[in-house]
Amino acid sequence: MSTDLPLVSVGVPVYNGEGKLEATLQALIDQDYQNLEIIVSDNASTDQTAAILEKFAAKDSRIRPIRQTRNIGAAANFVQVLEQSKGEYFMWAASGDYWSRKYVGVLAELLRQNAQAVLAVSHVGLIDGQTGQLKNEFWHADPKPTVGLSKADRILQHLSRNGNDLGTYGHLIYGLFRRHNLRESYRMLGDTSLDFGTDVLLLLLILSQGGLAVQPERILWYRTGGSSTAFRFEDLSQWMEYRATCARLVLGMDLQGLGFDDLVRVHQAQMKFIDQFTGADSPYQASLIRQMLGE
């Protein structure tokens, strides 16, 4: 593809990735869409990650390695590649996932065609963490586009699917963003550091700014077999602090321009989302919403 197309920044946060990093970098430089910069932040790895990065950077000038002198944590490493990026569009790439050669180009074209979209994603498959087999199935339902919906209906779809299930899942974080919208949403997170759910909360913040464009084809495969630090709290007060942080972030969604009736519908959906997302019933969310409405 011609380099007069928008620059796409790909951020690869990695720690001790020698087993999968070569395949990841090769899949990225083989993309049909060539106007890329690939920023790899090595989080003070102790294996051969640095040597692999040096080898790939020598053969492809689009790869820009960053070496952290100490381990800054996974979340900060994700932020690091975003802050170092320059492209109009941005995507995170997890070491070990697999992309079709057309992945970046298809999603970039979706953003070009849909001015209201702030994020483009595809349907996603799974990579078996043990065998490496690609499977055309996923844990959650395929995402639905929200471009063209009213702002209220768009936000409601992201908060809840069919009024029962959470409408947004963390794997969408590996889609292609408009970088300025993503950076604005990250600033809203501030210094928030959560063991669980930061990806979903970030997605809600950005998707309140604009629509989701969807390629109805599996061109990204997500590797299974990772671990989660979810819900490892030392005491009840820490759990309650976590719930309060989630509530503040969900209530921080951009609701400008909504009329009273739509605000009521969205706030009700926000309350239900918080209950589902934090896994406990509490009147605390209702009091927060009353505060937000100045009641």
Side-chain angles (χ1 to χ4, degrees):
M1 288 191 177
S2 171
T3 56
D4 62 355
L5 293 173
L7 175 64
V8 173
S9 297
V10 181
V12 186
V14 63
Y15 173 70
N16 285 354
E18 64 179 7
K20 304 180 182 72
L21 184 57
E22 290 196 51
T24 295
L25 293 177
Q26 193 62 53
L28 292 173
I29 64 179
D30 285 346
Q31 288 292 303
D32 292 339
Y33 193 104
Q34 292 290 296
N35 194 18
L36 304 175
E37 62 167 0
I38 303 168
I39 306 143
V40 188
S41 181
D42 175 9
N43 203 6
S45 296
T46 58
D47 63 359
Q48 294 301 305
T49 292
I52 294 170
L53 283 176
E54 184 178 346
K55 179 180 72 172
F56 272 83
K59 72 176 184 178
D60 195 316
S61 61
R62 296 175 300 168
I63 296 177
R64 178 153 50 98
I66 302 169
R67 170 73 175 178
Q68 305 299 334
T69 57
R70 61 178 180 83
N71 191 309
I72 59 176
N77 210 31
F78 269 73
V79 176
Q80 183 69 212
V81 290
L82 173 60
E83 291 301 321
Q84 295 294 324
S85 65
K86 302 175 183 176
E88 181 177 345
Y89 304 148
F90 176 88
M91 61 174 272
W92 279 294
S95 181
D97 289 351
Y98 178 76
W99 308 263
S100 161
R101 290 173 61 93
K102 64 182 181 180
Y103 181 77
V104 174
V106 166
L107 297 193
E109 188 59 24
L110 278 177
L111 290 180
R112 279 162 53 88
Q113 291 177 358
N114 296 279
Q116 295 179 339
V118 294
L119 172 61
V121 301
S122 73
H123 290 183
V124 181
L126 293 173
I127 306 174
D128 188 291
Q130 299 298 319
T131 67
Q133 180 184 0
L134 300 183
K135 299 180 178 180
N136 289 323
E137 59 187 48
F138 199 65
W139 299 306
H140 307 304
D142 294 326
K144 295 181 179 179
T146 59
V147 173
L149 298 181
S150 71
K151 184 171 184 175
D153 287 340
R154 186 181 76 230
I155 290 173
L156 287 168
Q157 182 166 308
H158 293 309
L159 284 168
S160 176
R161 190 175 66 250
N162 299 325
N164 297 312
D165 304 319
L166 301 181
T168 297
Y169 295 100
H171 70 277
L172 301 183
I173 207 77
Y174 294 111
L176 187 65
F177 295 87
R178 294 192 192 276
R179 187 174 67 99
H180 73 276
N181 292 101
L182 179 58
R183 284 170 59 88
E184 181 178 335
S185 297
Y186 235 116
R187 282 194 292 270
M188 294 178 67
L189 286 178
D191 295 330
T192 299
S193 178
L194 301 175
D195 286 334
F196 173 75
T198 306
D199 47 5
V200 173
L201 296 170
L202 176 63
L203 286 163
L204 289 178
L205 291 176
I206 190 171
L207 289 169
S208 65
Q209 298 178 40
L212 176 70
V214 178
Q215 171 66 18
E217 181 181 5
R218 299 192 196 283
I219 52 177
L220 165 64
W221 285 264
Y222 184 88
R223 185 172 295 272
T224 63
S227 60
S228 173
T229 58
F231 304 120
R232 294 179 183 173
F233 299 101
E234 295 178 0
D235 53 37
L236 180 60
S237 64
Q238 191 180 43
W239 163 245
M240 294 306 294
E241 181 181 354
Y242 168 82
R243 297 190 69 220
T245 300
C246 288
R248 284 192 294 271
L249 291 173
V250 172
L251 293 171
M253 296 172 70
D254 176 12
L255 305 183
Q256 291 295 318
L258 298 187
F260 177 80
D261 290 342
D262 283 338
L263 275 174
V264 171
R265 289 197 299 149
V266 169
H267 282 316
Q268 288 173 339
Q270 286 173 318
M271 291 171 67
K272 186 168 186 177
F273 180 94
I274 294 165
D275 276 331
Q276 291 179 305
F277 193 64
T278 60
D281 295 322
S282 170
Y284 181 68
Q285 297 89 318
S287 66
L288 274 180
I289 287 178
R290 286 196 295 272
Q291 292 174 32
M292 294 285 289
L293 292 174
E295 299 178 359

